Each structure stands twice: as C-alpha cells, then as structure tokens.
Amino acid sequence: MCTNQNTNCVSISSMLPNFTPKEDDMFSRRCIWVNGPVIVGAGPSGLAVAASLKRQEVPYIILERANCIASLWQNRTYDRLKLHLPKQFCQLPNLPFPDDFPEYPTKYQFIQYLESYATHFDIQPKFNETVQSAKYDKRFGLWRVKTVSRKGLLSSCEFEYICRWLVVATGENAEKVVPEFEGLEDFCGDVLHASDYKSGEMYRGKRVLVVGCGNSGMEVSLDLCNHDASPSMVVRSSVHVLPREILGKSTFEIGVTMMKWMPVWLVDKTLLLLTRLSLGNTDKYGLKRPELGPLDLKNTADIKVPFI
C-alpha cells in the first residue's frame, strides 16, 4: 500500500487493481497515482504551467531535482545578468512584474519575482526529487515516471508516479555543453563554462578567451572588460549583433511591432539599417553578418541573436 501526504496523489493499488509493476520495482519503489499532470521542473515554465492549472482547479504535482525553484537562475548564472528583453515580455501568466522593477530586471529581481509567483499561487514543488525515466504505458494509456528523492546525504527513496499527462519543463539549458578541444589537457590555465562563471574579478589583469558570441558570451566579455581583464572572442560562424535598444525603444519590441504589418524580410532590413546607424559597421571587429536577416535566420536555424 502506497501513501502520500499530497492531496493530488493517492495509492495506485486502489485506482488500478490490475496494474502490476515489474517484479524488480515491486518492493523498491513506492507507486503513487497523480490525479492530474506531473510537471518535471520548477523553473519559470513549470511554475507558469502549475499556476495555469491551479486557476482551472486541475490538480498536479511538480518534481524538482534541486532544492529550490528556478535553480538554474539561482545557482548557474553570473552576477551581472539581467533580462535581455523588457519585463513585459518575460512575465508569467496572471501576475505581472512589480511596477517598481526596472525595464530590464536583474537576476536577483527575477528570482524574487519567481518566488513571489510561487507564493501567490501556493505552488509547492517536491524538491530534491530527480526523475530517472518517464515511459508511456500503451496498455493503460498512462505515464510511469520513476524518481529518486534525496533524504539527506546518505539516504534516498525511490518513487514511481502514475499519471495520464506529463509536462516536461526542464529548460533548454539544463545541462552545460563543454566541447572537446585538442590539446586542452596541456593547457595550464583555467577552463570555465559560462554556467560556472560569476564575476570577472578573479580575472583582473589576465587575458581571457571567450568561446561563443551569444548573449552570455557578449555579457561575460563586457564584465571582463569592466574588471580590467583583456578578453578576446572566437566565433564559430557569422552572427548578427543587435543593440538592446534603438532610440530608447527595445529592439525586440520594435521588431515584434513591425511584424504585425510588414513581411519578415522587410523587418530584417529595417532592423539592420537601424543597427548600422546605432553600432556602425561590426565587420571591422571581425563580426561579419550572415546573408540571412536576424529574424529570418532565427526562424530557419533557431539561432539566438545577441543583444548588446
């Protein structure tokens, strides 16, 4: 017999009397029926889904492998990080940012907003619970989600959640990707992924190579300059670099507004003309622009355009 204090969960034995877990799971895992979706991840997307379900009085549970909400924002972002888009484009459903927040909130303000969002909608994730696998059982039309819950440093407990719906909200940047570089084992300096970078203070007076020219690469390079380091950047392919604002207006907002009345190719040409007037010719810095415009390139190749 399985029990759980969450009112959205009941024993699987009473719901599916003919459901027989595999023999190796029968005694090692506690089986829990969920009266609604299982949401994997308590980041912004997971919180937004939970709040929307709660407004419709749909039960759910959230499984989060870390010990806090928005763990990527709290643990794997650099100090100077701010939202790259105006706050009205980043707010979650049914609760706007506070009026006294700036147009581009800092990471600390964004975390504060997410925590207040969870409090406002009474969202209570199951922390320290890592999903090991999620499989769809065609025979019963149900998902079987297996997890391991940490109970301190030395103990853990295994669960299997049975549900009709599964929402995966683990984020596109949940795992860092570190490419293999030939000869890296012979390099005597520090090698750091952007998710582990906090501040340029430790690199003051040093030469630093930044690999990548996305928003993180650009902002890390600027942070290094502000801490009197000497960064250089290597870029794999040509890229568009746009100013964050043009004439006091968000470049993203300008592009979205123009797309209501203009085709993408014309919006691209307009944005590139305004960018040329704002930033000048970026080719002289080695940042050659692709043949496709920024919006067309994003639509066809799903490539992010850095804003500076």
Side-chain angles (χ1 to χ4, degrees):
M1 180 70 175
C2 303
T3 59
N4 191 280
Q5 294 180 350
N6 193 319
T7 56
N8 300 330
C9 307
V10 298
S11 167
I12 186 64
S13 59
S14 63
M15 299 299 297
L16 294 174
N18 296 324
F19 184 88
T20 304
K22 293 182 180 180
E23 185 176 349
D24 59 350
D25 292 340
M26 189 174 298
F27 299 105
S28 63
R29 293 183 184 272
R30 299 171 61 188
C31 301
I32 301 171
W33 169 263
V34 181
N35 292 322
V38 168
I39 304 171
V40 182
S45 295
L47 296 178
V49 171
S52 299
L53 290 171
K54 176 155 285 191
R55 282 174 58 87
Q56 299 298 322
E57 299 183 349
V58 177
Y60 65 88
I61 64 167
I62 298 184
L63 305 176
E64 169 57 51
R65 66 180 178 179
N67 61 355
C68 61
I69 65 169
S71 62
L72 297 184
W73 279 88
Q74 300 212 43
N75 302 324
R76 296 174 63 180
T77 51
Y78 40 91
D79 294 341
R80 65 160 292 131
L81 177 63
K82 294 183 178 180
L83 295 182
H84 298 108
L85 302 179
K87 60 182 180 181
Q88 64 267 28
F89 294 104
C90 302
Q91 63 192 23
L92 303 190
N94 305 305
L95 187 68
F97 280 95
D99 293 335
D100 59 347
F101 273 31
E103 187 76 356
Y104 301 94
T106 67
K107 80 164 189 176
Y108 303 104
Q109 290 171 322
F110 188 56
I111 293 170
Q112 178 186 342
Y113 166 72
L114 294 178
E115 290 176 339
S116 64
Y117 189 88
T119 300
H120 180 81
F121 290 103
D122 191 26
I123 301 172
Q124 301 179 29
K126 294 175 65 66
F127 293 120
N128 297 314
E129 190 150 351
T130 302
V131 173
Q132 292 184 309
S133 67
K135 296 182 179 180
Y136 186 70
D137 191 315
K138 294 183 178 180
R139 181 174 55 162
F140 292 99
L142 299 170
W143 284 94
R144 302 178 59 182
V145 183
K146 297 181 180 180
T147 72
V148 173
S149 177
R150 297 193 303 273
K151 305 294 183 181
L153 295 177
L154 301 178
S155 62
S156 63
C157 187
E158 296 183 339
F159 295 94
E160 181 170 5
Y161 295 90
I162 313 298
C163 59
R164 291 182 60 190
W165 304 281
L166 176 67
V167 179
V168 179
T170 52
E172 61 178 340
N173 300 315
E175 300 294 338
K176 62 183 179 183
V177 178
V178 181
E180 295 183 3
F181 296 101
E182 184 177 354
L184 187 61
E185 63 277 4
D186 300 323
F187 179 63
C188 298
D190 296 330
V191 178
L192 199 68
H193 189 271
S195 63
D196 299 318
Y197 178 90
K198 296 301 179 184
S199 168
E201 179 62 36
M202 63 182 295
Y203 299 103
R204 190 178 297 273
K206 297 182 179 181
R207 293 183 300 166
V208 183
L209 178 65
V210 179
V211 180
C213 172
N215 285 328
S216 296
M218 284 289 191
E219 198 160 39
V220 166
S221 297
L222 177 59
D223 189 54
L224 289 166
C225 288
N226 290 339
H227 285 89
D228 297 324
S230 299
S232 299
M233 179 181 291
V234 59
V235 183
R236 179 174 56 182
S237 56
S238 56
V239 64
H240 288 290
V241 178
L242 305 180
R244 188 173 67 176
E245 293 183 344
I246 298 176
L247 300 176
K249 281 285 189 179
S250 161
T251 304
F252 177 80
E253 185 176 1
I254 292 174
V256 169
T257 302
M258 288 193 298
M259 286 183 64
K260 295 179 180 179
W261 299 283
M262 299 163 57
V264 172
W265 68 267
L266 185 55
V267 175
D268 275 342
K269 286 189 175 297
T270 305
L271 288 178
L272 290 178
L273 175 61
L274 294 173
T275 297
R276 182 66 177 258
L277 295 174
S278 177
L279 300 181
N281 183 12
T282 58
D283 286 3
K284 62 183 179 181
Y285 301 108
L287 297 173
K288 296 184 178 181
R289 296 192 178 279
E291 295 183 1
L292 293 176
L295 297 180
D296 196 12
L297 186 66
K298 178 171 176 58
N299 289 339
T300 55
D302 195 27
I303 295 177
K304 293 184 178 180
V305 178
F307 292 92
I308 62 173

